[in-house]
Amino acid sequence: MQLPNKYFEDFPIEFKQINPEDFSKIFKTEKTTVELEAMSYLNDVVQKEMKIQRKNTVVINTPVGNGKSYAIIQTIKRFYEAKEEYLIFVASPFVSLVDQYYKSIQEFAGIPESQIYNYNNIGRKSNPYIGKKVQVVTANTLLGNPGEDGYKNSDAKRMYLKNLQEHCESNNIKVVFIYDEIHDTIHNFKEEFIFNLWNWKNVIHKNFIISATFSEASKVVVEYLAELTDRKIQIIESERKRNPKNESKLFLHYSSVHNFTNETPEIKDTILDILKRGKNIDILSYSKVLAKSIITDKTLGGKLKEKFGEINDCTSENIDNERPENEPPENRFDNDKCNVGTNFKSGVSIQKENHAFVIILPPRATRSTFKNKYGIFSSGITSIVQAIARKRKKGEIHIILPRPDEFDYEPLKYIFTEEQQYYFKYWYQQIKHSNNKLKDKDKVRYIPLKFQSWFLSDFYEETLKKNVSKGIEYSQASDRLDLARLDFPPYKNFVLARGEDYLAQTFKIWGADLSAYLTYSAFTNQFVNCNLAQINYKNYLFFKEDEIQIGLRKYFDIYFGEDYEDGLFSFSNFNLAYNNFRNRLFEEFTLKFQKKDKEDWETINPFNNSKFERQVLRFVAHTYYGKNYHNQNDYEAITEDREYSRAEYFVDGISCARGLNLEEISYNEEEKERVLAFQNLNYFRQKLDQNITPHSIGEDSFSFLPVKPFRDFISNDELPKFTQLTEYFRKNDLLIKNGVFEFMRKFDTLSLEKKFNSFYRIILEDFFVMEQRAILPKINFEGNRRLVKPIQSVKELPARSKTINLIEPQEYTAFVSEDYIKSFAEENYGSLENYYKMISDALKE
């Protein structure tokens, strides 16, 4: 079948638009929308639309790979060559971009090195900066952001900015600020840092704000900066279109592994395959730990070193590009080396030929209710778009990602054609994470980006502010002279400080489920530099006869892990745990089975391998109950493929059904029919038990049941019970009707008498332990000489709380220890109080 993107070739690419109505009415805003046909065209538009003499803030919203950097450099050149004297600041979010611009300005603008100052020299070299017309700095330096652990910018940087500002004021020099990749500098625009820009109030002439991925927070930044340019804003925006000339092939590798390591099959196999095909490779990981483990791994790291020499470790220790006393930057991306790390999801152009770019997204283990642990992708969908955009030449992009949550397909009918809906759903169903208890409200929903501002405003007004509205009133009515300022943060300050985190962690399509967003975008052709070429979503799991338990344990540890066991298995009943695990096995993997005497591997499909199905039941029982499992002998043989028989299945079912009152339980009709079938089965079990007859001949004493049914085994009044249970098991019980357990296979061709005989034999075999005798006794019974079976004992029914319980409907349960709940809550929600609040909020919904 064709890949889904085939049906979305002309589907529009959605992006965050910047419009005049996004800003306060006090700003004078104008907008130009253009269609870009070539990379050089952006520069033509920028130079045409930009009036060099006008004092304003220019917002350039353009896709990646459309000549943005070239347009910036030509803008610098234009101000450099102007008759009026300007000081031009180029502020980037990364140190690597500082050096890149420093070199590019010389090469493409023709500005001599003597007129360009690289801020990396501050505190390290005594090169003069006064009199140089171009200053290349980082945004955090320009705004005086010392980082999370600092109290102030370094003295050298403070003096650098102060001297330049005073020089411009004394000599009537106008200043132009160019902020590239503004999406990565939002954190610098805190209220306390903005005053560093107001120092330039008397000399500032123009701001340029450039990005391919604007956000709601960046709109606040635009207002902050435009306030310094007479509140004038000019927007230059271009539509997003794919560029076939530089379009790479996109490969999606979905993994069911709960937590990614260097041993994760999708990671290992993808990297080794790329190397085998002789391609250059760079690997961007969500996690520093994972990146390090790939580098040091004997197989992966060894193969990479063998081909490329020393691996370039791009996992810098510093956060936000801050370096004490302006130390030389380390571990930066190098286009001439094989790079593995975390610090090149933005600000880098990969220009290699015959190249494959591997991106490893956060696995399911990194999810958390209050704050995700997505590493370099914590900021949400912007980070995904930027990471993929690093590749600038044709090649391959391989993304290893977890399976996304179920999608809510209903809203898609308003934006997709029927054909698009069909293929999107078909493919999404193949790769989604299997969770048969996911509520509708928790499914992934497509929401247009234009609604982000509405959700932010609603959350701010109706959740944050409304919750403390009385407190705000009381504080405003109080005399607080000489006390610390106490003002509830205005809406725009909230958006700047926490808005993007709220959207990324609350809405799955905007970042809470990165895999869902990336899947949606790949299926609908949302990336300008790549086109979906392949979907890999089913790993092969291999099981050998008599080694199924060993295989299940091995794959459980790899793909499910302790978090799955401690999470789902602890908060669900046995039925849910079993079905969730079994469904995931068949939905997310291709299962292969090899018989002892065969070389070939056959595919295990649902219910076509009864041995496998029975061993899955045992495996879940051992894992779910642990040492509390009622059958200790079976548990101690946890690595062996011991049989789980029909007799055990019936005994377990009866133990779970016998105490239930059908008039009181809130089961659906099918579930009640199942309970009734096991209760009726127990009825006839008890009837045989009550008909056990003692017998004694000389020294030979025993109790017995006849080999064939005794008189009135099933009376006319009991016939409905017999009919109900046999009909249910043969037609509705999934395990019996699909042949996992044999039960009266030739039922339809038998006479009523033979049906009774067959059923009687099953009960006798499954619920009673017979004495082993070479010759069965023959005694007078019910007026005839009859063969009988000496009964050694009646099989005990286990406690329902410790057995394979497929009677109770699948559901989550609260029957866990207080110590476990406390430990779980603190690890995943910060405190027990937060956990209970989450539960309370969920119940209200």
Side-chain angles (χ1 to χ4, degrees), residues 5 8-18 33-34 36 61-64 66 212-213 237-244 247 381 385 388-389 415-416 420 446-450 517 520-532:
N5 57 316
F8 291 86
E9 290 182 346
D10 298 320
F11 199 71
I13 297 177
E14 185 183 22
F15 67 100
K16 190 73 170 180
Q17 297 184 21
I18 305 296
T33 303
V34 297
L36 300 183
N61 184 9
T62 184
V64 292
N66 264 26
T213 49
E237 185 172 274
S238 62
E239 298 291 328
R240 271 47 170 173
K241 288 186 178 181
R242 297 194 304 279
N243 184 359
E247 205 170 58
I381 60 179
V385 175
I388 291 175
I415 58 172
F416 290 176
Q420 289 171 336
Y446 167 74
I447 309 172
L449 290 172
K450 63 183 179 181
Y517 167 75
Y520 171 86
S521 298
F523 283 11
T524 60
N525 285 325
Q526 295 296 295
F527 300 119
V528 298
N529 68 323
C530 60
N531 191 30
L532 183 61

Side-chain angles (χ1 to χ4, degrees), residues 52 112 308 370 468 483 643 647 744:
I52 193 171
F308 302 108
F370 289 102
V468 293
L483 296 177
E643 187 57 79
M744 305 179 75

Side-chain angles (χ1 to χ4, degrees), residues 295 301-312 337-338:
I295 293 171
K303 292 284 186 182
L304 290 169
K305 289 176 185 176
E306 183 181 314
K307 179 172 175 60
F308 302 108
E310 196 63 30
I311 301 170
N312 191 29
K337 296 179 180 179
C338 170

Side-chain angles (χ1 to χ4, degrees), residues 213-430:
T213 49
F214 279 91
S215 63
E216 288 301 312
S218 59
K219 296 175 183 178
V220 181
V221 172
V222 171
E223 287 195 350
Y224 264 142
L225 294 175
E227 193 174 358
L228 296 169
T229 58
D230 297 339
R231 298 179 177 177
K232 294 176 181 178
I233 301 173
Q234 180 183 8
I235 303 166
I236 301 174
E237 185 172 274
S238 62
E239 298 291 328
R240 271 47 170 173
K241 288 186 178 181
R242 297 194 304 279
N243 184 359
K245 187 173 68 173
N246 290 323
E247 205 170 58
S248 293
K249 293 180 179 179
L250 176 62
F251 299 81
L252 300 182
H253 306 274
Y254 291 94
S255 176
S256 297
V257 175
H258 191 63
N259 197 11
F260 292 166
T261 70
N262 53 290
E263 292 293 332
T264 297
E266 290 79 8
I267 295 174
K268 196 168 188 176
D269 294 348
T270 298
I271 294 173
L272 293 179
D273 177 68
I274 292 169
L275 291 174
K276 185 178 179 181
R277 291 186 288 116
K279 291 187 174 293
N280 292 308
I281 185 172
D282 292 299
I283 304 168
L284 178 66
S285 166
Y286 84 98
S287 154
K288 175 182 175 181
V289 172
L290 178 56
K292 290 281 190 182
S293 69
I294 290 173
I295 293 171
T296 57
D297 180 71
K298 289 183 179 179
T299 301
L300 295 180
K303 292 284 186 182
L304 290 169
K305 289 176 185 176
E306 183 181 314
K307 179 172 175 60
F308 302 108
E310 196 63 30
I311 301 170
N312 191 29
D313 181 349
C314 296
T315 55
S316 61
E317 299 288 341
N318 300 310
I319 300 173
D320 296 334
N321 255 15
E322 294 134 17
R323 292 167 291 128
E325 298 304 322
N326 212 26
E327 293 174 358
E330 298 178 352
N331 303 339
R332 285 157 46 179
F333 183 89
D334 190 329
N335 257 305
D336 295 323
K337 296 179 180 179
C338 170
N339 302 273
V340 179
T342 58
N343 62 11
F344 54 96
K345 73 174 172 63
S346 187
V348 166
S349 296
I350 302 178
Q351 302 282 0
K352 300 177 182 179
E353 302 287 351
N354 188 34
H355 175 262
F357 184 29
V358 178
I359 302 173
I360 305 174
L361 293 192
R364 294 192 72 85
T366 58
R367 292 190 175 195
S368 179
T369 301
F370 289 102
K371 184 175 177 59
N372 67 52
K373 302 172 184 176
Y374 291 169
I376 66 169
F377 296 108
S378 295
S379 57
I381 60 179
T382 294
S383 57
I384 297 292
V385 175
Q386 287 292 334
I388 291 175
R390 293 313 96 213
K391 186 154 180 56
R392 300 302 173 87
K393 289 190 175 182
K394 270 192 173 183
E396 297 176 359
I397 299 176
H398 295 261
I399 302 180
I400 290 89
L401 66 169
R403 291 173 177 270
D405 281 343
E406 177 69 89
F407 213 96
D408 182 357
Y409 302 107
E410 184 66 18
L412 297 181
K413 67 183 182 182
Y414 299 107
I415 58 172
F416 290 176
T417 65
E418 287 188 11
E419 184 180 52
Q420 289 171 336
Q421 291 177 64
Y422 174 82
Y423 286 101
F424 182 94
K425 182 176 181 179
Y426 172 83
W427 278 103
Y428 198 96
Q429 288 296 109
Q430 307 304 311

